[in-house]
């Protein structure tokens, strides 16, 4: 009895200290990549690159980073497949790659056009990849180029597109998941957000949030929606938190600028007796007038109604045009119409299943934007106007 | 002579009673007592004649007796005053002696030498008179004792500021002042062959759990030990589970805590010579309750109680979670936080777990040094501790800054518990927790916590499960565990079990309007 506790302790110590089953990896034995890129080279091989944190440089940067001491570095690897490229990259790294903090993944335009199917498999099989990831298509460039752009505001430039995405009112952290869900759903087509590399105000290049890339059912890039078009799409899908609209008010000599909040969206499907599918989209929101180039005094209710109707009518037209473009030009359902029909008319859906690619371009879509202009502040007409100019 | 030999042989052998009777001759008595107290310089024999007629012998131990009072109350009247009428028959009538000649409140008449010796040892004055086989013992305690002070180990902002002292009588008196009811019972017993320490078991008749009281009586009467110098000596004999870090007996320096515990069906054990009183049974949730909880507004007390729970949990888990997350699961950290940690840990030679153990060890060392060192050394310890550990080690790159922050946070959190002995359990347990997390990450922390939980549910204090009333769950008693309900809500006594409910605060006393209480 006396010897037993001591024996248990000794036994536990032996297990703990000699069996070598400590699978810990110190934080200083890991290298964290915050962004990575995948490209297809001209000879058909993959090139994977990663942007890694350089922890010892991170410390120095607050003291005023002189040239050459960047807080990150980029390493690349080339191979026949994604895995082989990563293997090549690993040969150059002294530490274990940890992807738990990777938020951005750039895909070069050429790879996107060629299809990202093969890459996705290796990607989703690795448990080290986090699922809350934003994948980006680099319009007119390679992923590596996007990685190499030094962004002035952030210590690690990879954080920039993620933050831009958030700041312009998008939903971050879900694009990879959305992509997988959309591409595995019957009839739907996946999309990814897009960045492009532009000249900033200084001679330096910088990264810009461009819009949305549309993929077809074969995981190939077919085209782009620009920023506003992409925002309209997000509005339909209820994934937007901020949008500016500038619309002309006919007969008032100018345009009004509106910031929209409290977005709402309803998609109603119907099937006509001759099996034509119809979609009716109701978009709503609350608007605040922040720019007034007209001569209207919004303290008058009729003027406000006039502007509101103009904004609604014209925005409806724009949204319709965007949907028309997707239907005619790309023929890919990126609006979740197929889901809507499935939910609202399950019996019809069963009959139409499998033919969606042919049905989608011919859907009759009516868009009705209903923004309620609620706030215009205390300033009615532009302050610099003379009394006589105001209607 | 035989008695002296008797006393000196086998001094720690159990209970040697003296069988000599009191002799009628004063000289014989003096010889006997002198024999028991051979080689005791502090024994005093004082021969006197009452009113110049009756020879008496006053025996006491110097330093235990108030000699001034002895002079004023006994010796002076006997020697200087003329005999009062009716005292002519003074030939050693003990009753007469006790009732008319010893003007002291607490006296006793005894016929055995054993009692005489015992009472001399506990600070009484023994008065033997010629021609009588009886002795009178009078309590004239006058030894030095500490004044009543604010308890150092359990301070409050509001509420009573008095704390127990080393004197048993003063302590029981303080309790009696708080509970002025004849139902407050205090049973005295003596433990310790050498120390003969008086132990008082206090409880409230009719409220106390009879089973617990029986258990306490039984366990204390079985203790065989030479000296009892503090409640801890008793505690180790009466607790249910010796091999655990968690105390199953509460100790306190505050009379108000003892009073409220007795009213909550518990039993208190006073030990002479220590300001700490033991209270049983005691549960785990005790660690989060402070006397101040009941002296401040109940909403505030609830918030503070939660703060305590969070911080005590922190003191147990923070270093292990830091180690687990930074070495096993870095993806759980926010990115910017990770960047700060990686850059701080860059170039540090030790693995995080070794680092954490090292600094925790150092912190415990500093704490212990601060507790034990002679007071004037305090500033040296704090300067060396703060500078060497806080600054120099980080600047030299031997340890990283985050672990210093983690350990200091843990250190503060571990000292927040109002029950010092409970806090020690958490302080010690964080070391095994740290080892588990260093080996298996969060999985290890989870496993260690499960083992801890199993251990805690197995503990029991005098028949009361250690985690009660949470496990097993007694809904009506939760009012004073996770929250501190207002007094007008605490209708029933805790530890009631299921059988009978003791109502202590009747319903319908909620102030503020006629909304009324439930069932009112």
């Amino acid at each position: 009895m006396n010897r037993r506790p001591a024996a248990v302790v000794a036994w536990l110590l032996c297990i703990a200290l000699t069996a070598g089953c400590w699978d810990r990896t110190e934080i200083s034995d890991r290298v964290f990549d915050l962004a990575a890129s995948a490209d297809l080279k001209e000879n058909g091989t993959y090139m994977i690159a990663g942007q890694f944190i350089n922890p010892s440089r991170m410390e120095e940067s607050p003291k005023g980073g002189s040239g050459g001491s960047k807080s990150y570095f980029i390493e690349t690897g080339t191979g026949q497949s994604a895995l082989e490229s990563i293997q090549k990259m690993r040969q150059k790294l002294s530490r274990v790659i940890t992807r738990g903090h990777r938020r951005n993944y750039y895909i070069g335009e050429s790879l996107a056009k060629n299809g990202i199917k093969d890459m996705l498999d290796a990607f989703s099989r690795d448990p080290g990849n986090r699922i809350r990831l934003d994948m980006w298509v680099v319009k007119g460039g390679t992923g590596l180029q996007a990685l190499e752009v030094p962004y002035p505001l952030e210590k690690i430039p990879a954080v920039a597109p993620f933050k831009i995405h958030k700041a312009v009112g998008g939903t971050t952290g879900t694009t990879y998941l959305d992509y997988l869900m959309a591409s595995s759903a019957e009839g739907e087509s996946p999309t990814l957000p897009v960045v492009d590399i532009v000249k900033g105000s200084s001679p330096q290049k910088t990264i810009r949030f461009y819009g949305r890339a549309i993929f077809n059912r074969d995981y190939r890039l077919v085209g782009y929606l620009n920023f506003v078009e992409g925002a309209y799409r997000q509005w339909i899908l209820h994934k937007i938190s901020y949008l500016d609209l500038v619309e002309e008010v006919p007969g008032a000599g100018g345009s009004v600028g509106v910031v929209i909040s409290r977005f709402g969206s309803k998609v109603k499907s119907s099937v006509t007796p001759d099996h034509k599918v119809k979609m009716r989209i109701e978009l709503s929101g609350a608007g605040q007038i922040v720019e007034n180039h007209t001569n209207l005094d919004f303290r008058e209710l009729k003027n406000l109604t006039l502007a509101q109707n103009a904004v609604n009518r014209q925005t409806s037209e724009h949204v319709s045009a965007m949907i028309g473009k997707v239907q005619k030009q790309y023929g890919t359902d990126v609006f979740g119409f197929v889901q809507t029909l499935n939910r609202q008319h399950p019996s019809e859906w069963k009959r139409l299943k499998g033919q969606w690619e042919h049905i989608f371009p011919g859907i009759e879509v009516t868009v009705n934007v209903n923004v309620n202009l609620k706030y215009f502040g205390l300033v009615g007409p532009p302050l610099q106007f003379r009394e006589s100019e105001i209607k | 002579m035989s008695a002296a030999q008797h006393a000196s042989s086998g001094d720690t052998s159990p209970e040697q009673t003296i069988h000599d009777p009191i002799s009628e001759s004063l000289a014989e008595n003096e010889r006997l007592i002198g024999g028991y107290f051979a080689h005791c310089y502090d024994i005093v024999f004082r021969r006197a004649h009452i009113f110049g007629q009756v020879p008496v012998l006053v025996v006491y131990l110097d330093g235990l007796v108030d000699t001034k009072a002895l002079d004023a109350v006994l010796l002076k009247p006997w020697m200087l005053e003329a005999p009062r009428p009716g005292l002519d028959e003074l030939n050693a009538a003990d009753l007469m002696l006790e009732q008319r000649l010893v003007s002291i409140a607490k006296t006793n008449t005894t016929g055995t030498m054993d009692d005489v010796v015992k009472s001399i040892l506990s600070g009484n004055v023994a008065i033997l008179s010629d021609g009588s086989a009886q002795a009178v013992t009078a309590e004239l305690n006058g030894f030095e004792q500490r004044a009543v002070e604010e308890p150092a180990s359990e301070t409050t902002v509001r509420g009573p500021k008095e704390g127990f002292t080393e004197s048993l009588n003063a302590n029981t008196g303080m309790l009696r002042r708080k509970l002025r009811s004849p139902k407050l019972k205090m049973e005295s017993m003596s433990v310790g062959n050498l120390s003969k320490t008086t132990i008082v078991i206090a409880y409230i008749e009719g409220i106390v759990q009879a089973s617990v009281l029986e258990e306490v009586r039984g366990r204390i009467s079985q203790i065989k030990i030479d000296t009892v110098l503090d409640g801890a000596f008793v505690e180790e004999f009466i607790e249910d589970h010796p091999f655990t870090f968690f105390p199953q007996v509460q100790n306190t320096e505050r009379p108000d805590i003892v009073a409220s515990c007795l009213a909550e069906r518990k039993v208190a054990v006073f030990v002479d010579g220590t300001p700490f009183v033991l209270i049983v049974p005691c549960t785990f949730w005790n660690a989060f309750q402070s006397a101040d909880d009941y002296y401040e507004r109940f909403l505030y007390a609830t918030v503070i109680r939660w703060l305590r729970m969070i911080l005590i949990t922190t003191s147990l888990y923070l270093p292990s979670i830091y180690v687990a997350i930074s070495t096993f699961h870095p993806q759980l950290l926010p990115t910017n936080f990770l960047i700060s940690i990686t850059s701080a840990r860059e170039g540090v030679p030790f693995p995080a777990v070794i680092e954490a153990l090292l600094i925790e060890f150092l912190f415990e060392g500093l704490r212990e040094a601060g507790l034990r060192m002679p007071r004037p050394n305090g500033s040296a310890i704090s300067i060396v501790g703060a500078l060497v550990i806080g600054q120099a080690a980080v600047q030299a790159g031997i340890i990283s800054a985050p672990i210093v922050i983690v350990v200091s946070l843990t250190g503060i959190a571990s000292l927040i518990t109002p029950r010092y002995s409970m806090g020690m359990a958490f302080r010690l347990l964080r070391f095994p927790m740290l080892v588990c997390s260093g080996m298996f990450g969060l999985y290890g922390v989870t496993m260690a916590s499960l083992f801890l939980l199993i251990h805690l549910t197995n503990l029991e204090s005098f028949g009361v499960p250690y985690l009660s009333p949470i496990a097993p769950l007694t809904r009506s008693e939760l009012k004073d565990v996770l929250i501190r309900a207002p007094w007008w809500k605490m209708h029933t006594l805790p530890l009631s079990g299921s059988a009978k409910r003791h109502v202590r605060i009747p319903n319908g006393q909620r102030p503020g309007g006629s909304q009324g209480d439930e069932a009112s």
Side-chain angles (χ1 to χ4, degrees):
Chain A
M1 187 60 213
N2 256 350
R3 214 173 283 166
R4 239 177 55 194
V8 170
V9 168
W11 180 71
L12 281 176
L13 272 179
C14 284
I15 289 186
L17 299 176
T18 61
C21 55
W22 296 38
D23 61 350
R24 74 197 159 80
T25 315
E26 282 304 316
I27 220 160
S28 45
D29 295 332
R30 293 175 191 268
V31 60
F32 294 92
D33 60 347
L34 290 190
S37 71
D39 288 305
L40 193 65
K41 286 179 42 170
E42 275 160 27
N43 58 7
T45 55
Y46 281 98
M47 183 172 75
I48 304 275
Q51 193 180 74
F52 300 101
I53 303 178
N54 190 345
S56 45
R57 288 275 177 273
M58 278 324 281
E59 252 175 329
E60 288 162 21
S61 48
K63 294 171 193 162
S66 50
S69 67
K70 280 182 190 162
S71 50
Y72 64 94
F73 66 98
I74 291 167
E75 210 52 83
T76 59
T78 316
Q80 290 302 322
S81 70
L83 188 67
E84 195 187 341
S85 329
I86 293 172
Q87 167 63 31
K88 288 275 153 48
M89 178 163 75
R90 203 170 275 159
Q91 286 173 318
K92 303 179 205 163
L93 288 170
S94 59
R95 300 182 180 185
V96 182
I97 302 175
T98 307
R99 301 200 179 82
H101 283 267
R102 185 163 71 187
R103 283 199 172 148
N104 295 298
Y105 199 88
Y106 298 111
I107 295 168
E109 193 173 46
S110 58
L111 176 61
K113 278 184 174 151
N114 204 53
I116 58 173
K117 186 177 157 195
D118 297 337
M119 197 202 80
L120 272 178
D121 180 69
F123 208 82
S124 47
R125 222 171 263 283
D126 178 2
N129 278 319
R130 60 188 274 173
I131 200 106
R132 289 188 56 202
L133 175 78
D134 277 326
M135 279 186 141
W136 303 86
V137 173
V138 183
K139 181 167 183 280
T142 65
L144 183 60
Q145 282 169 341
L147 278 188
E148 280 169 340
V149 173
Y151 190 79
L153 261 181
E154 306 292 341
K155 262 190 198 171
I156 305 283
V159 181
F162 165 78
K163 285 195 170 174
I164 296 174
H165 198 182
K166 211 173 194 172
V168 298
T171 325
T172 54
T174 62
T175 54
Y176 170 53
L177 192 63
D178 286 345
Y179 188 95
L180 292 180
M181 276 161 56
S183 51
S184 61
E186 174 84 37
E188 246 182 291
S189 295
T191 62
L192 286 180
V194 181
V195 288
D196 60 353
I197 301 161
V198 291
K199 278 246 164 74
S201 46
S202 58
Q204 240 179 10
K205 282 184 197 161
T206 190
I207 267 184
R208 179 177 73 166
F209 183 87
Y210 177 79
R212 207 82 191 172
I214 295 175
F215 285 76
N216 64 10
R217 304 286 305 153
D218 300 327
Y219 316 97
R220 285 176 212 271
L221 174 71
V222 288
Y224 297 105
L225 295 179
N226 67 23
F227 179 69
V228 181
E229 289 169 335
Y232 289 151
R233 174 184 166 273
Q234 296 289 85
W235 195 350
I236 295 171
L237 293 175
H238 224 308
K239 283 182 180 172
I240 193 165
S241 59
Y242 180 91
L243 180 65
D244 304 327
L245 294 176
V246 180
E247 300 291 0
E248 199 75 27
V249 182
S255 61
V256 289
V258 179
V259 170
I260 303 188
S261 56
R262 285 191 243 155
F263 294 87
S265 131
K266 263 185 200 159
V267 183
K268 282 240 168 80
S269 61
S270 55
V271 183
T272 56
D274 53 337
H275 305 308
K276 287 255 183 207
V277 181
K278 278 186 175 178
M279 289 285 167
R280 189 179 159 73
I281 300 174
E282 302 268 0
L283 298 178
S284 61
Q288 178 187 6
I289 294 171
V290 292
E291 193 180 59
N292 182 9
H293 293 162
T294 64
N295 50 10
L296 298 174
D297 179 355
F298 291 125
R299 286 174 298 191
E300 298 282 335
L301 184 61
K302 68 172 172 51
N303 288 341
L304 196 62
T305 320
L306 183 73
Q308 182 174 310
N309 289 342
V311 167
N312 284 343
R313 193 172 53 247
Q314 297 199 31
T315 311
S316 305
E317 278 166 24
H318 295 321
V319 176
S320 299
M322 186 270 295
I323 295 174
K325 176 181 163 191
V326 173
Q327 279 178 311
K328 300 281 145 7
Q329 230 172 301
Y330 309 130
T332 52
D333 180 4
V334 294
F335 304 108
F337 285 168
V338 61
Q339 297 282 355
T340 312
L341 186 74
N342 186 356
R343 281 194 204 116
Q344 294 175 354
H345 298 278
S347 50
E348 293 289 341
W349 157 250
K350 259 179 206 150
R351 212 170 38 74
L352 296 173
K353 216 160 131 184
Q355 318 161 35
W356 193 250
E357 275 155 68
H358 308 292
I359 295 165
F360 176 73
I363 295 177
E364 196 187 319
V365 183
T366 44
V367 180
N368 192 2
V369 174
N370 187 12
V371 170
N372 190 0
L373 290 187
K374 276 191 165 172
Y375 320 102
F376 52 86
L378 295 175
V379 181
L383 287 179
Q384 72 277 18
F385 275 20
R386 278 182 296 276
E387 208 53 49
S388 58
E389 285 179 294
I390 299 166
K391 275 214 285 191
Chain B
M1 211 46 222
S2 64
Q5 273 174 354
H6 188 91
S8 63
S9 69
D11 31 2
T12 53
S13 65
E15 281 312 305
Q16 356 157 336
T17 38
I18 299 161
H19 299 292
D20 302 312
I22 299 180
S23 155
E24 295 210 346
S25 137
L26 268 191
E28 172 63 15
N29 284 338
E30 185 174 354
R31 197 189 60 79
L32 273 175
I33 299 175
Y36 307 137
F37 289 97
H39 305 297
C40 299
Y41 93 97
D42 51 349
I43 188 85
V44 176
F45 295 95
R46 177 72 166 85
R47 273 173 179 277
H49 284 78
I50 300 182
F51 311 133
Q53 296 167 17
V54 185
V56 289
L57 176 67
V58 178
V59 189
Y60 62 92
L61 280 171
D62 197 17
L64 295 186
V65 166
D66 185 352
T67 41
K68 270 194 194 131
L70 182 70
D71 292 347
V73 187
L74 292 184
L75 299 179
K76 224 183 231 170
W78 289 351
M79 295 183 170
L80 301 182
E81 281 177 18
R84 274 160 276 168
L87 285 180
D88 3 314
E89 295 303 312
L90 256 181
N91 34 6
D94 307 288
L95 201 61
M96 185 78 89
L97 186 68
E98 191 188 343
Q99 290 186 346
R100 307 187 66 168
L101 290 174
V102 179
S103 47
I104 291 169
K106 209 168 163 186
T107 56
N108 217 344
T109 310
T110 173
T112 66
M113 208 43 119
D114 186 42
D115 285 344
V116 171
V117 170
K118 271 187 186 158
S119 73
I120 290 175
L121 283 171
S122 38
N124 295 349
V125 177
I127 305 159
L128 299 113
S129 58
D130 204 11
S132 164
Q134 302 269 325
V136 174
T137 56
E139 202 170 300
L140 223 99
N141 288 345
F143 44 83
E144 290 301 315
Q145 61 188 52
R146 197 162 57 97
V148 173
E149 284 166 14
E150 192 177 349
S153 63
E154 291 160 287
T155 49
T156 57
V157 178
R158 225 176 124 176
K161 302 264 186 200
E162 60 178 356
F164 286 128
T165 65
E166 281 76 7
S167 158
L168 182 69
N169 297 355
N171 292 353
T172 51
M174 273 186 248
L175 177 62
R176 182 67 81 175
R177 277 216 310 282
K178 301 224 180 266
L179 300 170
R180 291 179 196 178
S181 159
K183 286 199 164 172
L184 167 61
K185 306 293 179 195
M186 304 202 206
E187 295 174 6
S188 154
M189 48 205 326
S190 163
V191 176
N193 292 333
L194 280 178
S195 65
K196 301 268 193 291
T197 311
T198 315
I199 288 181
V200 169
I201 303 173
Y203 58 91
I204 297 179
E205 192 180 39
I207 290 182
V208 70
Q209 275 184 306
S211 56
V212 173
L213 179 61
E214 269 317 301
E215 203 58 43
V216 173
R217 271 192 203 133
R219 288 185 197 179
I220 290 183
S221 62
Q222 279 170 16
I223 299 176
K224 292 203 170 36
I225 188 175
D226 52 351
T227 55
V228 176
L229 302 180
D230 183 77
F233 288 59
V234 178
E235 182 179 337
E236 288 192 11
F237 280 101
I238 65 172
E239 67 188 356
D240 298 59
H241 305 268
F243 287 101
T244 174
F245 290 125
F246 291 93
Q248 301 129 57
V249 178
Q250 181 187 346
N251 63 68
T252 181
E253 258 187 290
R254 301 182 59 93
D256 50 335
I257 289 184
V258 174
S260 84
C261 283
L262 291 189
E264 289 175 356
R265 315 193 68 205
K266 296 181 182 176
V267 176
V269 178
F270 289 76
V271 177
D272 193 17
T274 173
F276 288 94
V277 172
L278 308 180
I279 298 169
V280 288
C282 152
T283 64
F284 178 74
W285 308 105
N286 219 302
F288 310 112
Q289 297 172 337
S290 143
D292 242 357
D293 286 1
Y294 306 94
Y295 301 138
E296 292 294 347
R297 302 187 63 75
F298 68 92
L299 290 173
Y300 172 77
T302 302
V303 172
I304 294 298
R305 192 168 279 185
W306 275 96
L307 178 88
R308 266 184 226 128
M309 288 193 225
I310 291 167
L311 280 179
I312 290 174
T313 319
T314 307
S315 78
L316 178 60
Y317 284 113
L318 187 65
S320 8
I321 286 190
Y322 169 77
V323 167
I325 288 186
S326 73
T327 50
F328 288 87
H329 325 278
Q331 59 272 29
L332 288 181
L333 291 169
T335 306
N336 288 331
F337 190 27
L338 174 92
I339 291 176
S340 323
I341 288 187
T342 44
S343 56
R345 282 203 48 83
E346 198 58 31
V348 172
F350 302 114
V353 56
I354 301 292
E355 207 179 24
L357 278 173
L358 204 73
I359 303 300
E360 285 287 357
F361 188 73
L362 269 176
F363 170 77
E364 287 298 316
L366 268 179
R367 198 192 53 77
E368 183 66 15
L371 210 59
R372 303 282 162 236
M373 77 204 161
R375 292 269 173 270
N377 294 357
S379 54
I381 291 279
S382 52
I383 288 171
V384 168
L387 283 188
V388 171
I389 296 183
Q391 286 252 234
V394 174
Q395 270 177 10
I398 295 168
I399 53 169
S400 63
I403 196 75
V404 175
I405 297 168
V406 164
V407 170
S408 2
L409 246 173
T410 313
I412 294 167
S414 73
L415 295 174
I416 204 173
T417 170
R419 307 267 181 265
Y420 179 71
S421 44
M422 278 283 190
M424 284 195 290
F426 291 103
R427 271 220 319 271
L428 276 176
L429 279 173
R430 71 171 187 259
F431 287 96
M433 195 64 86
L434 198 50
V435 172
C436 287
S437 88
M439 281 195 284
F440 305 111
L442 285 184
Y443 173 75
V445 174
T446 315
M447 292 316 279
S449 308
L450 278 179
F451 273 111
L452 182 61
L453 210 57
I454 292 170
H455 175 67
L456 280 173
T457 45
N458 274 325
L459 286 184
E460 219 175 46
S461 168
F462 286 83
V464 175
Y466 205 51
L467 288 183
S468 69
I470 302 278
L473 183 68
T474 318
R475 246 171 246 277
S476 62
E477 290 174 24
L478 294 181
K479 286 171 191 165
D480 198 17
V481 175
L482 300 180
I483 59 166
R484 204 282 270 175
W487 277 114
W488 38 264
K489 264 289 187 193
M490 295 200 215
H491 304 308
T492 51
L493 280 174
L495 301 172
S496 297
S498 51
K500 55 178 174 179
R501 291 283 189 78
H502 291 254
V503 174
R504 65 160 161 180
I505 296 163
N507 267 334
Q509 298 193 71
R510 176 177 160 183
S514 55
Q515 303 99 310
D517 234 311
E518 87 265 60
S520 68

